[in-house]
Amino acid sequence: MEFKHVLYEVKDQVAYITLNNPAKRNPLNIETDAELEACLDLCDYDDNVRMLVIRGAGGNFCGGGDLNAMKARIDQGIRGTRPVCRALGQTIIRLRNVKKPTLAWIEGAIAGAGIALALACDFTLIDESSKATFAFVNIGFIPDSGSAYFLAKAVGTVRATDLLMSGRVFTGREGADWGMFTAAFPKEELEAGVQKYIKKYSNGPTVAYANVKTLLNRIQYSEYSLVSQSELELQGECELTHDFAEAVTAFLEKRKPDYQGR
């Protein structure tokens, strides 16, 4: 498969997936999602791969959903949210079930579904000055791609409610202090921190790691399919609102949206 939206390489028994649309902060859309899932299969079934690292190109991890694609659907009167949510939801849980240690290497901006992608990894190492936000509500949407599910598991309902309903920006350091990210580093120390994790987990007992992940997944994530279906239903409802179309248009026009609650 030829990849246009991601880069995939294996080096020293470590697979690297790089989201590769830096001009738009590496957004997630249905095309990128298909390539991500193909990369996950390559990684999972290659006995020469002992660990997976995911990062973004151009100094940012992932800006979340593709607002330009959303605006195009709005202008054409197309309802495309449910297929995108379904695809992203499946890829997120596919990542969670990769039978190798997985690590998100987070620099710069990370938002929305991009945070879900990171939280599905075993380890999340972030630049402490990175800016993060669950921006779904800012475009009249609910969290999708398992964002609410993974976030609530990590930080609890009270903190998750604050972050998801406010859509506010927080730093990598704050996220790590809340238990959302594994560790936060000063920018100049992040790569060294990543390399330490790579050295440890790419040379460890791979079968034991896989079984630990399976055990944790059965304990923590067995309800994911129900949550994913709920996302499809609720996001589909949000897609039909005036507020969604207005918020996306306002964002791209760099103005404040006029919400009407309908």
Side-chain angles (χ1 to χ4, degrees):
M1 180 177 182
E2 180 182 354
F3 298 129
K4 296 181 179 179
H5 303 280
V6 305
L7 302 175
Y8 181 81
E9 64 175 340
V10 177
K11 182 179 179 181
D12 298 327
Q13 295 188 298
V14 178
Y16 293 86
I17 298 175
T18 304
L19 303 175
N20 192 34
N21 189 353
K24 296 182 178 179
R25 293 188 176 181
N26 309 312
L28 293 175
N29 52 40
I30 203 159
E31 293 83 13
T32 302
D33 174 74
E35 294 186 9
L36 272 173
E37 190 142 3
C39 288
L40 295 178
D41 286 343
L42 289 173
C43 170
D44 218 7
Y45 303 136
D46 186 346
D47 291 337
N48 292 317
V49 171
R50 295 172 61 85
M51 186 172 183
L52 169 64
V53 175
I54 301 179
R55 67 184 306 192
N60 292 298
F61 185 77
C62 176
D66 189 339
L67 263 70
N68 289 286
M70 293 180 194
K71 183 62 165 67
R73 292 197 299 269
I74 290 169
D75 292 343
Q76 297 173 50
I78 297 172
R79 294 189 65 188
T81 291
R82 288 187 178 184
V84 175
C85 286
R86 183 180 294 109
L88 289 175
Q90 290 173 346
T91 298
I92 294 297
I93 200 63
R94 177 71 183 88
L95 171 58
R96 183 62 227 163
N97 284 294
V98 167
K99 291 186 177 298
K100 316 281 174 74
T102 57
L103 183 148
W105 179 349
I106 307 167
E107 305 165 278
I110 179 171
I115 303 181
L117 185 72
L119 294 182
C121 292
D122 301 311
F123 305 104
T124 47
L125 306 187
I126 190 168
D127 174 357
E128 65 183 10
S129 64
S130 284
K131 296 295 189 282
T133 176
F134 291 94
F136 301 99
V137 71
N138 298 335
I139 59 166
F141 260 4
I142 64 156
D144 59 32
S145 307
S147 300
Y149 185 72
F150 284 105
L151 179 63
K153 292 282 188 182
V155 303
T157 303
V158 172
R159 180 75 68 185
T161 300
D162 169 43
L163 295 176
L164 296 175
M165 293 188 70
S166 70
R168 67 182 177 88
V169 175
F170 56 95
T171 66
R173 170 55 61 191
E174 288 176 307
D177 288 346
W178 299 330
M180 184 187 311
F181 305 124
T182 305
F185 298 85
K187 185 174 183 178
E188 64 275 10
E189 298 176 17
L190 176 60
E191 183 169 358
V194 168
Q195 294 303 324
K196 287 181 180 178
Y197 273 75
I198 290 174
K199 182 177 180 180
K200 175 177 174 61
Y201 290 102
S202 66
N203 291 288
T206 308
V207 174
Y209 291 154
N211 287 340
V212 168
K213 291 183 66 167
T214 298
L215 183 62
L216 288 173
N217 287 345
R218 290 175 181 175
I219 294 169
Q220 287 285 84
Y221 304 119
S222 58
E223 321 98 316
Y224 184 87
S225 61
L226 174 60
V227 173
S228 185
Q229 182 59 38
S230 297
E231 288 177 350
L232 296 180
E233 296 170 1
L234 299 172
Q235 204 68 294
E237 180 180 338
C238 289
E239 185 182 25
L240 295 176
T241 64
H242 161 275
D243 287 349
F244 165 63
E246 164 63 11
V248 171
T249 302
F251 181 89
L252 294 174
E253 293 178 353
K254 303 186 186 314
R255 62 175 174 81
K256 186 175 180 180
D258 177 23
Y259 291 123
Q260 297 184 16
R262 60 180 180 85

